[in-house]
Amino acid sequence: MDVFRCPRCATIAFIESTECSACGLEIGLHPPTLTMRAAPEQGSDVGGSWWFPCGNRPWGCNWLVAGDSGSGRCLACRLTRTRPSSDDTLALEKLASASADKRRLLVQLADLGLPVVPWYEKKGGLGFDLLSSRSDGARVLIGHANGIITIDLAESLDAHREALRISLGEPYRTMLGHFRHEVGHYYQWILVEQTGWIDECRSIFGDERASYKDAIARHYLEGAPRDWQEGYISQYATMHPWEDFAECFAHYLHVTSTLITAGAGNLSVKMEGVPTIPDRGITPRTSYADATMDDILGDWLPLATFFNRVNRAMGKHDLYPFEIPEPVARKLDFVHRVVTSSRVEVPLGVS
């Protein structure tokens, strides 16, 4: 995934941009090529096909939709199976915010080549129920079941999310993190549990057939083992093999996304005298598809140290407040091998 640029003046654009900050051109993301294209209301020709701005553009969606798709909404928006009612304006504002994180997730999945089969095309396909526990007081459980990821839009509220982060003793909690964790459950289900990877997965993460209900009860009664840092990326990962895999999958996405972003910006880090950063320095790559997990961590650990120092210089918490012991590195290696072996030519199901 390279830097996104304005198709007219080549100015760098954020992945969420609807307009070039330099020349003012209306732009949108073209899913098949993961590039920014002109997005006039009347549509534009891209490679011989007509593409139009998504019907949810007033709510911040900057994706384009093919003229022959039979829908006025883009693939990312059509993946949302359930959303708040049209008269719930507060929830719709949070839906717009959460949808930006969902689109960022989908771009990364496409860049990794992971298959995305929509819920409306196949039973068990990927879909999202984006609901708000603030709408009618009904509890919304964040989770995954049979391809459908449920997200509580109230997590877009900083105060709500931060209160939960503190009460649960979590060092990191973001909406994007929720999406990455839950999609980890989805890919474990379709790429591991239903394939030849399952035996190795069980040898590394444990047997996912163990009672999830009992695991939840035990975790919230007893908490994580005292020595959890020696073999897990987070306390939550200790609850059940499913959660261990999903946490590692989310961290794999955190790490690779940040590395590739740094690589696309031509960032190099060289800090003599810092034990975790080799004297030669490190220069992140723009793709790790052909790398080993050792290569990835060899670049990531120095870069994370640097970014943590930058955050502390701003009086902020560490960007990456985690440790990666050897057992976790082995789990991340498994995730990496599953991901790289599962690449498809058309990950977003569009051509």
Side-chain angles (χ1 to χ4, degrees):
M1 181 170 58
D2 204 347
V3 173
F4 294 98
R5 295 183 180 275
C6 170
R8 183 161 69 187
C9 70
T11 295
I12 292 177
F14 287 106
I15 194 173
E16 304 89 357
S17 297
T18 56
E19 180 182 290
C20 175
S21 61
C23 71
L25 179 70
E26 290 285 325
I27 57 177
L29 185 93
H30 181 239
T33 59
L34 298 182
T35 57
M36 289 295 181
R37 304 291 179 134
E41 185 176 353
Q42 67 273 22
S44 60
D45 183 288
V46 182
S49 299
W50 212 249
W51 290 77
F52 296 86
C54 176
N56 283 330
R57 194 173 178 88
W59 287 99
C61 180
N62 70 337
W63 278 34
L64 302 178
V65 56
D68 60 0
S69 68
S71 174
R73 295 179 300 137
C74 70
L75 172 65
C77 289
R78 296 200 305 276
L79 285 175
T80 298
R81 187 181 72 164
T82 311
R83 46 161 272 179
S85 62
S86 298
D87 60 355
D88 192 344
T89 55
L90 177 60
L92 288 180
E93 289 178 4
K94 300 310 172 187
L95 174 66
S97 174
S99 294
D101 288 320
K102 180 188 69 176
R103 292 191 298 274
R104 180 175 286 273
L105 169 73
L106 292 171
V107 168
Q108 184 178 15
L109 297 180
D111 187 55
L112 290 171
L114 288 172
V116 174
V117 178
W119 63 272
Y120 51 83
E121 290 185 359
K122 178 183 178 182
K123 184 178 180 180
L126 182 63
F128 299 86
D129 285 349
L130 305 181
L131 309 170
S132 176
S133 58
R134 295 295 182 94
S135 294
D136 55 13
R139 188 180 182 189
V140 176
L141 293 177
I142 297 175
H144 164 267
N146 301 319
I148 302 300
I149 291 171
T150 300
I151 296 291
D152 184 4
L153 296 175
E155 289 271 336
S156 292
L157 298 166
D158 291 342
H160 176 90
R161 187 181 63 254
E162 184 66 7
L164 285 174
R165 186 190 69 80
I166 293 173
S167 67
L168 295 174
E170 297 176 347
Y172 170 91
R173 189 181 181 94
T174 67
M175 183 65 82
L176 181 58
H178 286 318
F179 278 114
R180 285 173 169 167
H181 174 98
E182 298 306 332
V183 88
H185 287 305
Y186 170 70
Y187 283 115
Q188 183 179 18
W189 180 48
I190 68 168
L191 299 180
V192 177
E193 292 182 19
Q194 302 178 48
T195 71
W197 287 104
I198 186 60
D199 290 337
E200 184 181 358
C201 183
R202 286 171 181 161
S203 71
I204 296 173
F205 292 90
D207 194 332
E208 83 291 347
R209 294 170 295 187
S211 171
Y212 188 73
K213 181 179 180 181
D214 291 346
I216 292 177
R218 181 176 60 252
H219 180 78
Y220 287 110
L221 177 65
E222 303 174 2
R226 287 188 177 182
D227 61 351
W228 67 267
Q229 297 97 329
E230 296 178 9
Y232 297 88
I233 193 65
S234 68
Q235 294 187 53
Y236 193 66
T238 68
M239 187 171 75
H240 187 275
W242 275 337
E243 301 305 342
D244 194 9
F245 182 93
E247 282 287 87
C248 287
F249 190 92
H251 279 265
Y252 177 77
L253 296 188
H254 295 333
V255 168
T256 53
S257 176
T258 307
L259 279 172
I260 291 169
T261 300
N266 295 315
L267 176 68
S268 293
V269 175
K270 183 177 175 65
M271 298 174 63
E272 295 182 0
V274 179
T276 57
I277 300 180
D279 289 341
R280 62 172 173 78
I282 62 107
T283 301
R285 311 180 191 184
T286 55
S287 173
Y288 286 87
D290 297 325
T292 66
M293 198 62 218
D294 285 341
D295 294 331
I296 294 173
L297 293 179
D299 285 353
W300 173 245
L301 296 177
L303 193 70
T305 299
F306 172 74
F307 282 147
N308 286 346
R309 290 168 62 91
V310 170
N311 266 29
R312 293 186 188 190
M314 289 290 292
K316 301 282 288 183
H317 296 298
D318 285 350
L319 177 77
Y320 188 75
F322 301 95
E323 299 290 335
I324 302 181
E326 191 281 329
V328 172
R330 191 160 66 99
K331 294 172 183 178
L332 291 172
D333 174 68
F334 178 80
V335 171
H336 179 59
R337 288 186 287 117
V338 169
V339 168
T340 54
S341 70
S342 303
R343 292 185 67 90
V344 296
E345 289 298 322
V346 189
L348 290 179
V350 292
S351 57

